[in-house]
Structure formats: C-alpha cells, structure tokens
Amino acid sequence: MEFRDLKEQYRRLKPEIDAGIQAVIESSAFILGKPVKELEDKMAAYVGRKHCVGCANGTDALQLALMIWGIGPGDAVFTSDFTYFASAGTTSILGGTPVLVDIDLRTFNMDPDDLEEQIQRVIAEGKLTPKVIIPVDLFGQPADYDRILPIAEKYGLKVLEDGAQGFGGNIRGKLACSFGDMSTTSFFPAKPLGCYGDGGAIFTDDDEVDARLRSLRAQGKSPVDKYDNREIGMNSRLDTLQAAILLPKFKAFVEHEIDDVNQVAAWYTERLQDHFITPFVPEGFLSSWAQYTLLLDNKEERDALQAKLKVNGIPSMIYYPRGLHEQQAYAAMQLPDEWYPNTMEATKRVLSLPMHPYLTEEEVDLICKVLLEA
Ligand SMILES: *Cc1c(COP(=O)(O)O)cnc(C)c1O
C-alpha cells in the first residue's frame, strides 16, 4: 500500500499528461512557456484571486511574498510552531525573526488566542516590529481566518496564507489561497495538488504586486528589458514541463479528486471515531486532506500503533516529530517548551494514515481493522 498513491493517479491521467509533456518538448519553449500562464490563469480563477504567479517551489513562494513587503532585520513574522520549516525559514533567511505561535490541538492550526498573546509580548518587549502573520492551512484545513484576520487588522499586520497543504479546502465556500493579503501554495508531489518535481505559486489581488512578483521571480528584471534589473530578485520560475503536467492534474483535482478524498476521510471517520480522536473539521470548513491525522492518547500508544501498521504493510507518518522551536537552527532563540504546550502534545501523539483520492473503501477497511484490533 502507498501512503499517497501517485502511480494510480498517473495510470488514469497518462494520455493527457504524456501529451502535455510531449507538446512542451516539441515546442522547445521550456522557460515560461504557454502552459505556465494557462495554469496561472486557471488557478487564479478557481481560488477567486485576481492573479496567480508560478514559481520554483512553495518555499520560494513564501520568500517572494515576504520580499514584496521588504521583510528584513528587526521585523517579526508570526507563524505556527507546528508545521513544515518553510514559513519560519524564509523569514530568517531574509533577516527577519520568526515568532512562533502555539496551535489549537483540535485542528493543529495556529491558535488565535496565543497569536494575540505573542503579538502583545513582542510589542511589550519593544525589540521587533510586528509585520506579518503567516497562518498555515495544516493537513488540508484552512486556518481560523474568522479570528486571525481581525487580529491582523487590529495590529496593522499583513497576512500571508501558507496554503501549501491547504489547496482545495474552503471556509463556507471561500477557497484556500484566497485569504489575507497574499497566499502561497506548493506543487511538491505529495501535496493535494502536486507536480512531478518542484513547483509553487503565489496569489494576489493587487496588480502592482503581481507585476513585481513576475519581476522578482526573474532577478528583478524590468518587464520590457530583461537586462535592466530594477531590484534584487530570485531565479524562481515554475518549470513549463511541470505546468503541463499540472494542467490535467488540476482538472482532475477540481472535477473529482477533492470530492473523492473527502469520501475517503468520511470512511475513516465512520470507522474510527468511536475509538480514537479523529480529525476535527469545524462547521462550514472543508479540508483538502493533505493528511488524515489521528491524535492518540500518548506517545506509547502512537508508537505501538505505528509499529502494528508497519508489520501489516501499511505506511504511516509522524507529521511533525518536533516543533519549530525545538529545531537546532533555532536553538539560539532559546524558546521554552512551556510556551508551546499543544505543539509538545501533538508531536508525541499524532499519526497520519495513508490518504489520497484513489484509496478504496476496502483499503480503508483493512487499515481500520488493524488499528481497531491493536
Ligand atoms: C511543503 C510545504 C512548504 C514548502 O513547499 P516546497 O514546495 O516543498 O518548497 C511550505 N509550507 C508548508 C506548510 C508545506 O507543507
């Protein structure tokens, strides 16, 4: 069994994907060829943003967005403690300071109460200037924008939605990657919408930001003269071959994969909810199920279940084994575990099960049987 079955998806989409790859090779337009703009336009229309700008990966997408706002030394960027490294790492590489926020243990997303406490702490200390909040749509579920956006407004902060895992989710029909001032996503193969290598995108409603992002992803070049570099940028374009692969995958994603993966989640929850803490999806929220993550009673139970699954040939993952405040790269910040009680719980108790739109009910049955027998 696969944790995320990309082979089955390819088997079904092979004619379109192969034709797309072939057309790019025959056109020889490898850099910013037609499929890139076509994908950008379709994705912007889908999420309900005015612009989508492709780039090399989801990490660069975050960095480019932070560069638009000139984030650098002395700036505080608030992000979740329980996530992939990128939202904090991109802040640091620009010279800014990530301020890590504890999570809500029910959703694994940024806790708005702790966010406000951390903002007030930074203001009271007076060393950093609060600038940006990067909420992460973890495991496919949008963060609590109903509460985070008003906090951002109260303190005059920008919001950058990290939708790398959230693409396809929504809150009362408003889609992930449309919240806040800018949003980003990743096309890393295992994400809800993945390509066959690296890729990413940034979303904005602002025409000037769109134009600057297109310049910043190409060394800060002028739109009319590519050897006129107006500001310091990156070399971070979405590869044309990857865009061609994404076009049929995006079509399948919208047409049925998002429904199918929600059906798989319902099968899991039906079978497991009386015995385990299954994922909590608040009223009005839809997850795109980047992960289906159980919260077990303690580390011993979690580790025993993972071992039991393994001997039965069922892969499972621990996302994430440590909080960002525990990363060696941030040891110098000396952030105390006591600030992150929910992250500390989650790292010991989470277990993510195989999850993708092509999982069958029989496979879910088998996985749940092993878990319930354990
Ligand atoms: C994967 C991921 C990223 C980074 O995306 P890459 O394309 O791998 O650079 C950023 N944030 C989150 C939450 C992610 O899961």
Side-chain angles (χ1 to χ4, degrees), residues 7 16 49 58 99 101 114-115 161 176 193 233 238 245 277 288 296 299 321:
K7 292 179 193 128
E16 294 104 298
R49 284 271 205 206
V99 177
V101 177
D114 194 55
L115 170 64
E161 174 189 9
L193 178 62
L238 177 61
I245 290 159
I277 302 175
S288 59
L296 287 319
K299 187 173 189 306

Side-chain angles (χ1 to χ4, degrees), residues 58-202:
T59 306
D60 283 3
L62 290 165
Q63 182 169 334
L64 286 162
L66 293 173
M67 285 167 76
I68 289 283
W69 294 325
I71 295 308
D75 294 335
V77 175
F78 300 84
T79 194
S80 177
D81 185 45
F82 185 67
T83 181
Y84 184 66
F85 192 68
S87 48
T90 49
T91 298
S92 301
I93 212 159
L94 294 172
T97 302
V99 177
L100 303 171
V101 177
D102 200 15
I103 54 165
D104 180 330
L105 204 49
R106 292 172 311 162
T107 60
F108 305 115
N109 276 331
M110 174 184 278
D111 172 10
D113 291 323
D114 194 55
L115 170 64
E116 189 155 15
E117 271 182 43
Q118 294 282 353
I119 294 170
Q120 289 177 349
R121 185 184 60 77
V122 167
I123 292 171
E125 273 182 11
K127 291 189 197 135
L128 300 169
T129 312
K131 285 277 175 74
V132 178
I133 304 167
I134 309 182
V136 180
D137 302 336
L138 204 75
F139 301 158
Q141 182 157 293
D144 189 355
Y145 295 100
D146 291 335
R147 294 199 52 211
I148 292 170
L149 295 178
I151 293 172
E153 192 166 324
K154 180 173 167 187
Y155 294 95
L157 309 180
K158 299 277 190 199
V159 173
L160 172 57
E161 174 189 9
D162 180 354
Q165 300 183 16
F167 191 77
N170 74 56
I171 304 177
R172 299 180 298 274
K174 184 171 163 55
L175 276 146
C177 293
S178 75
F179 295 99
D181 300 281
M182 270 191 266
S183 314
T184 61
T185 197
S186 162
F187 305 124
F188 183 82
K191 306 286 160 133
L193 178 62
C195 62
Y196 290 167
D198 280 307
I202 309 130

Side-chain angles (χ1 to χ4, degrees), residues 250-266:
F250 176 56
K251 188 162 175 280
F253 182 84
V254 175
E255 280 179 0
H256 64 87
E257 286 185 354
I258 193 77
D259 290 338
D260 295 347
V261 81
N262 271 280
Q263 174 63 69
V264 174

Side-chain angles (χ1 to χ4, degrees), residues 178-366:
S178 75
F179 295 99
D181 300 281
M182 270 191 266
S183 314
T184 61
T185 197
S186 162
F187 305 124
F188 183 82
K191 306 286 160 133
L193 178 62
C195 62
Y196 290 167
D198 280 307
I202 309 130
F203 298 86
T204 174
D205 292 321
D206 185 316
D207 297 348
E208 273 174 40
V209 168
D210 171 63
R212 255 187 91 200
L213 284 169
R214 288 176 195 283
S215 166
L216 281 175
R217 76 176 172 185
Q219 315 276 3
K221 70 168 184 172
S222 128
V224 287
D225 174 356
K226 77 173 187 175
Y227 297 111
D228 173 15
N229 300 85
R230 297 186 171 175
E231 58 182 325
I232 309 295
M234 300 174 73
N235 178 26
S236 182
R237 296 164 301 212
L238 177 61
D239 190 83
T240 306
L241 280 167
Q242 298 303 339
I245 290 159
L246 280 164
L247 280 166
K249 286 183 101 198
F250 176 56
K251 188 162 175 280
F253 182 84
V254 175
E255 280 179 0
H256 64 87
E257 286 185 354
I258 193 77
D259 290 338
D260 295 347
V261 81
N262 271 280
Q263 174 63 69
V264 174
W267 287 332
Y268 267 131
T269 299
E270 225 172 80
R271 289 160 177 78
L272 298 175
Q273 65 184 352
D274 293 340
H275 311 274
F276 298 101
I277 302 175
T278 49
F280 170 68
V281 182
E283 185 68 34
F285 281 59
L286 183 91
S287 178
S288 59
W289 298 106
Q291 305 297 338
Y292 187 94
T293 302
L294 298 178
L295 185 69
L296 287 319
D297 288 342
N298 51 54
K299 187 173 189 306
E300 292 66 39
E301 185 192 14
R302 189 266 310 272
D303 293 349
L305 279 176
Q306 184 168 41
K308 186 91 201 288
L309 288 169
K310 191 169 177 206
V311 298
N312 284 277
I314 299 165
S316 63
M317 302 291 282
I318 295 169
Y319 296 120
Y320 292 89
R322 60 184 67 81
L324 296 187
H325 79 277
E326 299 176 273
Q327 296 291 352
Q328 279 191 49
Y330 289 134
M333 292 208 286
Q334 294 192 312
L335 295 166
D337 289 349
E338 298 79 68
W339 284 10
Y340 305 103
N342 292 336
T343 294
M344 297 304 290
E345 280 295 304
T347 56
K348 295 183 188 84
R349 294 168 54 192
V350 288
L351 187 64
S352 299
L353 303 178
M355 193 60 177
H356 58 83
Y358 302 94
L359 210 58
T360 64
E361 190 165 12
E362 290 67 43
E363 287 173 307
V364 172
D365 260 336
L366 175 74

